[in-house]
Amino acid sequence: MNLEQRFPQGAPVEVGALVDELRTEPPGGRLTVGDPRVVEFVTKFARKLLAPALARRFPELASLGFFLRKGELAKALSTLETTGDALRFPRGLVFHVPPANVDTIFVYSWALSALAGNTNVVRVSSRSAGAAEAVLEALNAALGDVSPEAAQTIRATQRMVTYDRSDEISGALSLAADLRVIWGGDASVAALRKYPLAPHARDLTFPDRSSFAVASVRGWQEATPEQRRTAAEGFYNDSYWFDQAACSSPRAVFWVGDTDGARAAGAEFRALLAAVLEAKQHVTEPAMAVQKRVSAYGAAVDGLVSGISFEGNSLATLELTDATVMPREWLGAGTFANARVASLAELVPIVLRKDQTVSQFGFTREELVSFVNQLAGRGVDRVVPFGSALTFAGVWDGYDLLAEFSRLVSVQA
């Protein structure tokens, strides 16, 4: 079985031949951490993503383009500066297996690994469409914008491929890898781990995660009308870009404060969110609308919720019977559990290791730091303002990715 080469575009290739090509030293010498040839290519690619026409079609690509700007890359690389006896080098060959439901995550993973000087092969799902196809087009187009040396090096060291499920291909790529990066949930991690790695290699895994939002009643009351509208717009971006399926999209909203204030703030917030949905002309597919109602009524039958409200097909709010029993599974795009707690401290006992992102509105930094200190690492990897849940960062799921994609060699005289 051959692999379809999506980037750089090329003829189908047999897996053994692909591995041999990637193991061959590229023209101009091996890549280094922060290699100028990679930086040149990635920044040209970022400009393609920031083109207004493309950004209007796929707003998430504008965020990706911003992340990959030359200044941002330099800032990221500055975190890798070493002192003392240590020298930093690439890990080698990195095999990335991203999820199909978040079209752009494979680019962040690949770009940081390439920036660390690695040779990369990325499996792009055959089910990917839309933004993923636009990304592949932009990548191939960017090859024509860089110097011949940079283009030649990128062609020799970077591959994005598509293939149907194949033990032979996945097994060969896993065995050849110095690092395997698995995104997409517990099942994906388990499925890939059946293919052995070389003894020195290891996995970097991103299994099933869940996220929730917290909003301060006091903070909402003190906010201006414009700040409240901005919060609703940010929450829309966090939740609806990937149909709420992204690991960092909130699936529950906790209002922190007194009961009457929480009720009033929640009602106003949902009204503002409904207005955003209308302004964005958001359309919920019929199958998704059915899924939402099935999940909502199922939660009611199970005794998890005491009330359900629908704002058309796009927004469903499930009032939790018990705030300490938080549903973490995906219930359908635009379906949010809702509850009130008196303080952030009440949420500490219910946080699990799989909880990734807390989106927040209206809290002070001191309040958030106190909350995270109380969690003491038992769960939650990031706390961000409304509107930033999907903003990728070099530290993700508790990993410093550039550091993970490189290795240290100590030298003592």
Side-chain angles (χ1 to χ4, degrees), residues 209-210 212 328 348 350-358 371-383:
R209 308 303 301 272
S210 64
F212 60 92
R328 289 177 167 84
V348 171
I350 72 171
V351 168
L352 303 178
R353 185 65 190 89
K354 72 179 295 182
D355 293 327
Q356 184 213 60
T357 298
V358 173
F371 174 54
V372 171
N373 279 330
Q374 290 177 70
L375 290 172
R378 62 191 295 267
V380 176
D381 295 311
R382 55 199 293 263
V383 181

Side-chain angles (χ1 to χ4, degrees), residues 8-333:
Q9 287 181 325
V13 63
E14 187 269 331
V15 65
L18 176 67
V19 170
D20 289 342
E21 289 176 19
L22 294 175
R23 286 297 193 194
T24 302
E25 183 167 328
R30 294 186 181 277
L31 295 175
T32 58
V33 175
D35 196 290
R37 296 166 292 182
V38 174
V39 172
E40 179 187 356
F41 176 75
V42 172
T43 53
K44 295 291 186 182
F45 167 56
R47 291 180 188 174
K48 301 283 186 188
L49 300 180
L50 291 169
L54 187 59
R56 281 194 298 270
R57 285 175 57 208
F58 303 106
E60 63 270 33
L61 296 189
S63 297
L64 174 58
F66 184 87
F67 181 80
L68 298 178
R69 293 183 311 157
K70 191 171 185 176
E72 294 298 311
L73 299 184
K75 189 188 304 181
L77 285 169
S78 70
T79 66
L80 291 181
E81 293 176 0
T82 57
T83 57
D85 301 328
L87 301 174
R88 192 176 292 274
F89 295 93
R91 283 197 174 272
L93 176 60
V94 181
F95 175 33
H96 305 254
V97 186
N101 65 330
V102 182
D103 283 348
T104 55
I105 196 71
F106 73 92
V107 192
Y108 291 100
S109 180
W110 161 77
L112 288 173
S113 181
L115 195 63
N118 294 300
T119 296
N120 294 278
V121 56
V122 183
R123 181 186 180 185
V124 180
S125 171
S126 59
R127 294 185 286 123
S128 294
E133 294 299 318
V135 161
L136 292 167
E137 290 176 9
L139 283 165
N140 281 296
L143 281 172
D145 293 345
V146 297
S147 65
E149 180 186 5
Q152 193 175 29
T153 300
I154 295 299
R155 289 182 181 277
T157 61
Q158 312 299 319
R159 293 287 196 284
M160 296 187 186
V161 301
T162 294
Y163 61 92
D164 293 330
R165 288 188 179 182
S166 165
D167 289 342
E168 176 190 357
I169 294 175
S170 295
L173 292 175
S174 294
L175 194 59
D178 299 292
L179 178 68
R180 183 171 57 188
V181 184
I182 310 173
W183 302 77
D186 297 351
S188 297
V189 172
L192 266 295
R193 276 182 166 167
K194 72 180 183 181
Y195 305 114
L197 295 167
H200 71 276
R202 68 183 184 85
D203 282 325
L204 184 61
T205 61
F206 299 89
D208 285 334
R209 308 303 301 272
S210 64
S211 298
F212 60 92
V214 294
S216 166
V217 171
R218 173 195 51 77
W220 183 267
Q221 292 168 341
E222 294 176 354
T224 65
E226 179 59 29
Q227 288 171 327
R228 296 177 185 181
R229 285 192 295 269
T230 299
E233 291 171 358
F235 190 86
Y236 167 85
N237 293 339
D238 290 343
S239 305
Y240 287 86
W241 273 5
F242 298 110
D243 285 338
Q244 210 179 344
C247 59
S248 54
S249 292
R251 296 176 183 176
V253 181
F254 293 94
W255 289 91
V256 182
D258 66 279
T259 301
D260 291 341
R263 185 180 298 111
E268 183 182 5
F269 171 72
R270 288 187 290 275
L272 289 171
L273 181 57
V276 173
L277 288 162
E278 182 177 358
K280 299 282 187 182
Q281 298 182 329
H282 181 82
V283 176
T284 300
E285 297 297 328
M288 193 72 72
V290 171
Q291 169 69 39
K292 185 177 303 187
R293 281 166 169 74
V294 169
S295 298
Y297 296 137
V301 169
D302 292 338
L304 299 178
V305 301
S306 58
I308 302 172
S309 63
F310 294 100
E311 294 284 346
N313 287 331
S314 298
L315 176 60
T317 302
L318 314 183
E319 294 293 339
L320 292 180
T321 303
D322 182 350
T324 66
V325 183
M326 175 174 60
R328 289 177 167 84
E329 68 276 12
W330 181 80
L331 298 175

